[in-house]
Amino acid sequence: MKRMFLGLFLITLLLNCKSKKTSLQEEDEIEVTDFINFFPERTLPIRVADTTLAHKISDSSLITFKTFTKFIPDSIFSKDFGKGVKPKFYPLGRTREKGKEIYLFFKAISGNKRIGYLACFTKEEIFMNALPLVKTGAESYTETYGMLDNKFQITTYREKKNGSSLQFKRNVYVINNSSNDFTLVMTEPNEEIIEQIFNPIDTLKQINKLSGNYVKDKRNFVSVRDAKKNGELLFFIHFEKDNGECVGELKGMLRLVSKNRAKYQEPGNPCALDIEFGTTSITIKETGGCGSFRNIKCFFEGTYPKKNLPKPRPVSKKNIAKPG
């Protein structure tokens, strides 16, 4: 009789226990616990370098965009990839501080752009925030990585050589569970390193007279490019204020409302811009809340002078081949 009860107990236990998901590419119901446990468990310290992003991972570990954004909002990575872009997501590792937060490492890929992130969840498995640790496209760096150490401090490190000298920047963060944000607790630069900015529309056509680059400097510019439909233009804005403490970046489609005026507004998105094209500059005014694409204390506004395209060099008559 005891054996029978023991057998029934074991069968019930097995039926009630959910097995770990082996794939998150299916469209079936996936809970946050399934999502978290899909990330391979790692021991500290966990380090994600630029070389980590280059490693090929089996497609069986791919997490679909629909599933991923169910637990981590797309506003986290749209700042880096541009709104509307749907990167591929691959888990890199997970760990948790006993009785406290859960940390997930993942990489996002779209085209040639790859970024490694660290996401943080509460012990109740509620999403708190995510932080980009390392990005590709910075060939001038000799070393770049992000790391979570045994004290649960997060470090980002950038290093490059400039002749015989070595430049580096190290930032150390901790998760602030009262504000659900990462707090910078230490920075150690011997010289500021300027990261390259990825312009996703840089190589597109600029035949329209309004298209072009409107530039204050390398960290503050607006790119405008031709769109497929008449009356529309593609744009990309990047700005940095207050010594880099306030950063904004936005990519989208402009709708021309007059000869020299355009608006940006997408359904369901409060962010709205009013843009006026002058003969030598562009003026931007934020008319709707764009907080998902910038820091809280700064706005998409200002005037940017137009950068003239270089004139083609005249062809010398001596270099023109004679017919026949």
Side-chain angles (χ1 to χ4, degrees):
M1 184 67 95
K2 289 182 179 179
R3 289 181 179 179
M4 183 178 71
F5 280 117
L6 180 60
L8 289 171
F9 172 77
L10 290 174
I11 292 171
T12 304
L13 184 64
L14 289 170
L15 289 173
N16 289 332
C17 288
K18 293 177 68 177
S19 60
K20 182 180 176 181
K21 293 280 185 180
T22 58
S23 173
L24 293 190
Q25 300 183 39
E26 304 166 1
E27 296 301 327
D28 58 350
E29 192 65 27
I30 295 171
E31 302 298 332
V32 64
T33 302
D34 299 321
F35 178 77
I36 291 172
N37 289 339
F38 187 70
F39 287 68
E41 191 167 11
R42 301 268 300 276
T43 56
L44 294 174
I46 301 175
R47 188 173 184 271
V48 177
D50 49 356
T51 52
T52 309
L53 302 182
H55 291 164
K56 185 174 177 58
I57 300 179
S58 170
D59 284 338
S60 62
S61 65
L62 173 69
I63 304 175
T64 64
F65 184 87
K66 181 179 179 180
T67 297
F68 193 91
T69 53
K70 180 180 177 182
F71 306 106
I72 297 179
D74 60 0
S75 59
I76 294 297
F77 49 84
S78 62
K79 298 174 186 178
D80 299 308
F81 289 94
K83 189 165 180 64
V85 177
K86 295 183 177 181
K88 294 181 178 180
F89 299 102
Y90 295 90
L92 297 176
R94 69 176 159 93
T95 189
R96 89 164 55 216
E97 187 173 3
K98 187 175 181 181
K100 294 185 178 182
E101 292 80 22
I102 303 164
Y103 297 85
L104 302 180
F105 292 83
F106 64 92
K107 70 177 179 180
I109 301 173
S110 178
N112 293 326
K113 192 169 189 180
R114 297 166 180 248
I115 301 177
Y117 292 88
L118 171 63
C120 195
F121 286 72
T122 67
K123 62 181 180 180
E124 294 83 13
E125 301 183 338
I126 299 170
F127 175 73
M128 298 173 69
N129 214 325
L131 179 73
L133 297 176
V134 60
K135 303 178 182 180
T136 58
E139 295 83 359
S140 60
Y141 292 152
T142 54
E143 186 177 8
T144 174
Y145 65 83
M147 183 177 70
L148 181 68
D149 64 24
N150 293 287
K151 295 180 180 179
F152 290 91
Q153 293 181 336
I154 304 146
T155 299
T156 61
Y157 182 80
R158 311 284 185 268
E159 175 188 291
K160 71 176 181 180
K161 287 185 177 180
N162 186 8
S164 59
S165 65
L166 183 69
Q167 298 173 309
F168 73 90
K169 184 175 183 181
R170 179 187 290 108
N171 286 337
V172 180
Y173 305 84
V174 293
I175 188 67
N176 186 337
N177 48 30
S178 63
S179 63
N180 286 355
D181 204 355
F182 296 96
T183 299
L184 180 65
V185 295
M186 188 188 78
T187 185
E188 188 186 9
N190 65 348
E191 187 170 340
E192 184 71 18
I193 294 179
I194 303 299
E195 294 189 7
Q196 296 180 4
I197 300 170
F198 175 75
N199 184 346
I201 67 170
D202 187 41
T203 58
L204 300 181
K205 293 181 180 178
Q206 43 183 320
I207 298 172
N208 190 297
K209 69 175 184 177
L210 301 178
S211 294
N213 293 318
Y214 300 80
V215 182
K216 285 184 179 179
D217 53 52
K218 292 182 179 180
R219 316 299 295 178
N220 295 272
F221 63 88
V222 182
S223 289
V224 180
R225 298 292 186 266
D226 301 352
K228 292 182 179 179
K229 292 183 180 180
N230 291 329
E232 292 182 344
L233 292 167
L234 288 165
F235 78 96
F236 173 74
I237 303 172
H238 181 95
F239 74 81
E240 297 184 14
K241 300 178 181 179
D242 301 329
N243 295 319
E245 292 295 321
C246 196
V247 179
E249 194 172 274
L250 178 62
K251 172 179 170 286
M253 187 74 71
L254 294 175
R255 178 175 55 88
L256 291 169
V257 295
S258 68
K259 186 177 179 180
N260 295 312
R261 191 161 162 258
K263 287 184 176 293
Y264 168 76
Q265 175 80 71
E266 292 187 356
N269 185 353
C271 182
L273 302 179
D274 191 286
I275 295 180
E276 186 174 347
F277 292 89
T279 54
T280 59
S281 64
I282 189 174
T283 300
I284 298 172
K285 184 178 180 181
E286 185 175 324
T287 56
C290 299
S292 297
F293 306 97
R294 56 165 172 74
N295 295 100
I296 297 173
K297 297 181 180 180
C298 53
F299 301 92
F300 287 95
E301 59 185 21
T303 299
Y304 299 77
K306 188 170 186 179
K307 184 178 180 180
N308 294 323
L309 289 171
K311 294 181 179 180
R313 295 176 63 184
V315 179
S316 173
K317 292 182 179 180
K318 294 180 181 180
N319 295 329
I320 299 176
K322 296 180 180 180

